[in-house]
Amino acid sequence: MSEDADVLRADSLAREIFSGVANKWALLIINVLGTRTLRFTELKTEVEGISHKMLTQTLRGLERDGVVHRAVYATVPPRVDYHLTEAGEALRDTVNGMCAWTRRYLEDIEAARRRFASQDRGAVR
């Protein structure tokens, strides 16, 4: 395996790519774009809570890594559409798996969080 493909190496390209696509905003954008092509404002509406700046930064990173395609149309005003590339579609399968895992284990996770919060973490044993 190439050193650049080793996600465990701090200086690998794989880790840089992994970091770019494995954040909450990127995952949500990939999930939303998997259903259809959207414009920037439509994406901002669909991904509740994302700021204009964060959406711009995340889309640029996903475009740079070949996950999202940005199509610009010479109209007045200019029209810009975003959709997943083949690589993005493949990544969406993983995102869908994570969403399914979250739905399946949500109650277990909530119970674990309640147990964790109720424990006395300040005492040294």
Side-chain angles (χ1 to χ4, degrees), residues 11-101:
D11 61 345
S12 72
L13 179 58
R15 185 178 284 190
E16 181 184 328
I17 294 166
F18 184 77
S19 177
V21 299
N23 70 68
K24 73 177 178 181
W25 298 124
L27 294 173
L28 293 171
I29 290 167
I30 291 164
N31 190 45
V32 169
L33 282 178
T35 60
R36 62 192 186 282
T37 297
L38 293 171
R39 297 174 79 175
F40 185 91
T41 53
E42 293 171 322
L43 269 168
K44 190 162 181 337
T45 300
E46 291 285 328
V47 182
E48 192 173 315
I50 193 167
S51 69
H52 184 93
K53 179 182 176 182
M54 186 54 64
L55 180 55
T56 299
Q57 288 177 350
T58 306
L59 284 169
R60 283 184 183 156
L62 293 172
E63 182 184 6
R64 179 199 64 212
D65 291 340
V67 175
V68 167
H69 176 75
R70 179 178 181 262
V72 180
Y73 300 94
T75 60
V76 177
R79 181 175 138 206
V80 181
D81 290 341
Y82 297 90
H83 67 268
L84 294 179
T85 62
E86 182 181 336
E89 289 288 345
L91 183 55
R92 185 166 183 261
D93 291 340
T94 300
V95 172
N96 286 343
M98 292 176 67
C99 291
W101 175 86

